[in-house]
Amino acid sequence: MGFFNKLFGKKEKESLDQGLEKTKENFFTKMTKVIAGKSTVDEEVLDNLEEALVSADVGIDTTVAIIDRVEKRVARDKYMGTSELNRILQEEISDMLVGGSSYDFTSELPSKPYVILVVGVNGVGKTTTIGKLAHNFKKAGKSVLLGAADTFRAAAVDQLTIWSERTGVPIVKQAMGSDPAAVAFDSVQSAVARGTDVVLIDTAGRLHNKAHLMDELSKIRRSVQKVLPDAPHEVLLVLDGSTGQNALEQAKHFTAATSVTALAITKLDGTAKGGVVLAIANQFKIPVKFIGVGEKMEDLLVFDKNEFVDSLFSLK
């Protein structure tokens, strides 16, 4: 049994399988054509496999890397049959992804309060992800505080306030147009005073000016460090998996603007482009920590590369 079955139970594994259904159907339809009438993995099979991976939004660079690995296996094993191709693909894709995952919301935090700065463009599910994280941490017995530092959009503060009420965790907010860095400072200061375990800070999701984005995130970081010199302890970039290669472009902007330490990829349940998870994880070498596979609070799952690849290749 894999990671989810050991740590979370069967329900989460089923959520992952269902969330990747559209991606699996898209990929497996093409995979069936790849091996139709073939008994061995030859050049034609590899060419068709490359096309199938690209169409699942695995991306050119990552697809080339996967094909190169498979070609080496074929050359080494000489007479590899197409029946073995799925297993070989799973092994090679899992091997090239950054790390596994042993993340557990119930584990002791390395710092208290543990400050997570959440970044990403508007519309990717950033605020919803924060709400789901708050739910998971609270469910695990941690105290949580939300910081509404996306002060440029009234809807962002309102939405985070709704999540605060839904999850039953306090929120620090100021009027629209307030200095985001001041909200971040107040949030961390309040968490220290309350003895809070986890602080989740929302940030503005504008990408029109990379220099401005960098300045704003740097200012927030400096404000937080006035209270806790080693904070933020995590910079979590949220990306919308349904946008495919556009998510890669967003990742480029944000990783250039700030030191992103972890990724959350959302909306995988509504897309056939779930292969973008492989592209993002491989290209940026930043661990994917969470994936979103539905609307419910329980539908934010801890990412485990082996379970993800297993679900991707297990079409029922």
Side-chain angles (χ1 to χ4, degrees), residues 6-23:
K6 285 189 292 185
L7 188 56
F8 292 108
K10 190 177 177 182
K11 181 179 160 189
E12 282 74 14
K13 178 61 171 169
E14 288 174 351
S15 293
L16 180 63
D17 287 339
Q18 290 166 9
L20 293 177
E21 202 66 40
K22 290 185 179 179
T23 296

Side-chain angles (χ1 to χ4, degrees), residues 241-254:
S242 71
T243 63
Q245 295 301 299
N246 190 43
L248 273 172
E249 287 302 310
Q250 292 174 20
K252 286 177 186 175
H253 280 283
F254 277 96

Side-chain angles (χ1 to χ4, degrees), residues 98 114-121 126 203-204 207 210 213-214 217-218 221 232-239 247-265 280-281 283-290:
V98 178
Y114 190 72
V115 180
I116 302 175
L117 194 64
V118 186
V119 302
V121 301
K126 181 163 52 77
T203 62
L207 247 189
K210 192 165 69 176
L213 173 70
M214 189 180 296
L217 291 175
S218 296
R221 183 184 287 273
H233 306 102
E234 186 96 272
V235 178
L236 180 67
L237 172 60
V238 181
L239 299 167
L248 273 172
E249 287 302 310
Q250 292 174 20
K252 286 177 186 175
H253 280 283
F254 277 96
T255 53
T258 190
S259 53
V260 175
T261 60
L263 302 169
I265 302 179
I280 292 167
Q283 186 164 333
F284 294 96
K285 306 301 180 189
I286 296 169
V288 177
K289 191 169 275 191
F290 307 105

Side-chain angles (χ1 to χ4, degrees), residues 83-259:
S83 60
E84 299 172 84
L85 189 55
N86 275 2
R87 177 179 61 81
I88 299 302
L89 270 174
Q90 288 186 63
E91 290 174 2
E92 295 302 332
I93 290 171
S94 291
D95 190 51
M96 72 190 296
L97 293 177
V98 178
S101 179
S102 57
Y103 190 81
D104 183 356
F105 286 102
T106 62
S107 295
E108 186 175 344
L109 296 164
S111 301
K112 182 177 176 179
Y114 190 72
V115 180
I116 302 175
L117 194 64
V118 186
V119 302
V121 301
N122 297 330
V124 296
K126 181 163 52 77
T127 310
T128 300
T129 297
I130 292 171
K132 290 177 178 178
L133 285 171
H135 166 76
N136 278 289
F137 277 120
K138 188 179 178 186
K139 186 180 174 184
K142 304 284 195 299
S143 55
V144 184
L145 184 141
L146 305 181
D150 183 355
T151 58
F152 294 92
R153 253 185 350 122
V157 177
D158 293 343
Q159 190 182 4
L160 198 64
T161 301
I162 291 169
W163 276 106
S164 165
E165 293 166 353
R166 188 179 297 174
T167 56
V169 303
I171 184 170
V172 172
K173 56 184 178 179
Q174 294 181 12
M176 182 182 167
S178 300
D179 181 6
V183 178
F185 177 87
D186 288 349
S187 300
V188 177
Q189 193 173 53
S190 177
V192 171
R194 297 169 186 239
T196 302
D197 294 315
V198 182
V199 187
L200 298 165
I201 301 176
D202 193 12
T203 62
R206 298 166 303 156
L207 247 189
H208 61 274
N209 185 323
K210 192 165 69 176
H212 185 77
L213 173 70
M214 189 180 296
D215 290 344
E216 188 174 296
L217 291 175
S218 296
K219 189 178 176 185
I220 289 173
R221 183 184 287 273
R222 289 195 301 273
S223 293
V224 165
Q225 288 171 347
K226 288 177 183 175
V227 186
L228 293 173
D230 61 339
H233 306 102
E234 186 96 272
V235 178
L236 180 67
L237 172 60
V238 181
L239 299 167
D240 179 351
S242 71
T243 63
Q245 295 301 299
N246 190 43
L248 273 172
E249 287 302 310
Q250 292 174 20
K252 286 177 186 175
H253 280 283
F254 277 96
T255 53
T258 190
S259 53

Side-chain angles (χ1 to χ4, degrees), residues 41-48 71:
V41 178
D42 58 17
E43 193 171 333
E44 185 183 357
V45 168
L46 291 172
D47 286 344
N48 291 336
E71 279 183 327

